[in-house]
């Protein structure tokens, strides 16, 4: 596999293509492919599915290293908002 710069990805295993301006992922600085982001512009976070840059993670996600959104632990079935993988900040009503 060809080595590309941080702001590039390998297209078809042969060519390095720039991540900036990847139309399918606005605000993406560094990408894994045209549809997967690994680092976003300042003020944005990589979504847990790596398909977009978001200004805020979903309630069932928390922020890692001030860059990435990650889903709360699947074991926290009654948690609707978490602050880490295993710390629930808000539970389903009545729980």
């Amino acid at each position: 596999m060809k080595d590309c710069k941080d702001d590039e990805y390998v297209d078809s295993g042969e060519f390095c293509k720039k991540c900036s301006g990847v139309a399918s992922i606005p605000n993406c600085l560094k990408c894994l492919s045209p549809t997967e982001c690994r680092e976003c512009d300042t003020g944005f976070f990589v979504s847990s599915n790596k398909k977009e840059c978001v200004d805020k993670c979903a309630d069932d996600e928390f922020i890692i290293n001030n860059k990435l959104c990650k889903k709360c632990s699947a074991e926290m079935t009654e948690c609707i908002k978490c602050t880490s993988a295993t710390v629930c900040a808000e539970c389903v009503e009545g729980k």
Side-chain angles (χ1 to χ4, degrees):
M1 180 183 229
K2 185 171 182 156
D3 286 332
C4 296
K5 297 176 186 173
D6 277 348
D7 65 340
E8 297 176 334
Y9 67 94
V10 178
D11 182 35
S12 306
E14 297 178 34
F15 304 102
C16 292
K17 300 267 185 165
K18 286 273 189 198
C19 293
S20 59
V22 175
S24 61
I25 311 174
N27 302 303
C28 181
L29 290 178
K30 298 179 183 178
C31 60
L32 301 167
S33 74
T35 58
E36 285 188 297
C37 189
R38 65 182 170 115
E39 188 175 326
C40 299
D41 281 328
T42 302
F44 292 90
F45 307 100
V46 177
S47 64
S48 59
N49 66 7
K50 297 185 174 122
K51 303 289 184 195
E52 61 186 327
C53 292
V54 295
D55 60 355
K56 156 182 154 168
C57 295
D59 282 345
D60 66 341
E61 298 175 339
F62 62 98
I63 300 169
I64 297 177
N65 299 328
N66 206 27
K67 291 183 187 181
L68 308 169
C69 296
K70 183 162 175 141
K71 291 278 186 191
C72 303
S73 172
E75 296 170 4
M76 296 192 303
T77 57
E78 296 177 355
C79 185
I80 57 173
K81 189 171 189 172
C82 65
T83 56
S84 75
T86 57
V87 177
C88 185
E90 188 177 335
C91 297
V92 175
E93 191 172 327
K95 301 291 176 179

